[in-house]
Amino acid sequence: HIYGRLSFIPLVSDPTDGCLAFRMRAPWEETEKKGRRMMRRWGGVWAIFVMGFWCARWGDGMVQKRVHGKDAETEINQDAAKIGVKLAMWDFHQCDPKRCTGMKLKRAGLLRPLRIRQRWGGIVLTPFGATALSPSDKELVVKYGLGVVDCSWARVDQISPSDCPGKHARLLPFLVASNPVNYGKPLKLTCAEALSAGLAIVGLREEAELLLSRFNWGKAFFQLNGELLDAYARCNSSEDVVEVQKGYVDIIGRTRGR
């Protein structure tokens, strides 16, 4: 009989009269109570089982990924220590950040971003320079660093010298790009190529190659410009660099004239 399965729950009514009221508990409430007890009892075991299965199936990959992440971070720190030169960049946001070599160096921790119009105490590779970079600038590069302007070649006229101020503005001499966008074009270098070229010209060739080793086309830059970079690195002054550049451009002109 249904009344034989009913139980009573005491409910306190008015505390002043000390009376207790009762209501009947239905069978389905007993079922819910038992269900909750079973969930508390077995829920933890079920969670442990699920976590064990997940770790066995995917956990090793996650651990490996984390280990690889630590290895990559260690490698980045080692690269920065080997380069040993402060690198900086003014970013004018004129190019695709996913393809920007300067942004890639920034994400790798090898380059310091500068605010527009923030002053830089080291050498500045800029189209507004009046002097060519030469090995005589090595002391400045080692002591204060090397900066570059990140902008689109098609919109360089929208930038003024005051946007990237520096006491030591320099021009890069004639070089050929190896990046996929401007491969083979003279002077159309990316930020990474410009910084690497600057390091090579002042005599830091090993550091220059290490910087471009992060790009799969980095070796091509030294294959295209290796002899020219060596010639620039043997110069004593900016005037000598300009003479080497002039001689190289004349040879190219005569070769094409034939």
Side-chain angles (χ1 to χ4, degrees), residues 52-197:
F53 176 78
W54 184 88
C55 290
R57 178 65 179 84
W58 294 287
D60 183 63
M62 296 297 291
V63 171
Q64 290 294 329
K65 184 177 180 181
R66 178 59 182 164
V67 171
H68 292 164
K70 288 183 177 179
D71 291 344
E73 184 178 352
T74 302
E75 181 182 353
I76 289 171
N77 293 334
Q78 290 176 349
D79 288 351
K82 288 179 181 178
I83 293 174
V85 176
K86 298 176 185 177
L87 302 177
M89 175 187 73
W90 287 276
D91 185 7
F92 288 86
H93 307 286
Q94 294 181 354
C95 56
D96 185 357
K98 294 182 180 179
R99 302 172 64 183
C100 177
T101 60
M103 292 299 294
K104 183 172 182 178
L105 294 177
K106 173 190 170 184
R107 289 191 293 268
L110 300 174
L111 180 148
R112 170 191 169 190
L114 297 173
R115 300 185 305 275
I116 305 303
R117 300 192 176 184
Q118 180 179 347
R119 195 163 187 82
W120 173 247
I123 295 289
V124 181
L125 300 177
T126 169
F128 309 112
T131 307
L133 183 71
S134 71
S136 62
D137 295 313
K138 181 177 181 178
E139 185 177 353
L140 287 172
V141 171
V142 172
K143 188 174 182 180
Y144 299 108
L146 186 64
V148 70
V149 178
D150 180 23
C151 64
S152 170
W153 283 103
R155 299 166 61 185
V156 69
D157 57 339
Q158 301 177 9
I159 301 172
S160 68
S162 61
D163 292 331
C164 44
K167 189 165 59 175
H168 310 288
R170 296 291 187 270
L171 285 167
L172 278 176
F174 182 91
L175 291 166
V176 178
S178 68
N179 64 82
V181 177
N182 293 310
Y183 182 86
K185 295 181 181 179
L187 306 176
K188 296 293 183 72
L189 308 184
T190 62
C191 291
E193 288 172 310
L195 289 169
S196 180

Side-chain angles (χ1 to χ4, degrees), residues 174-178 189 193 205 220-230 232 248:
F174 182 91
L175 291 166
V176 178
S178 68
L189 308 184
E193 288 172 310
R205 181 62 174 265
F221 182 76
F222 295 98
Q223 293 171 355
L224 292 173
N225 301 287
E227 294 183 5
L228 195 52
L229 287 171
D230 290 339
Y232 291 146
Y248 187 80

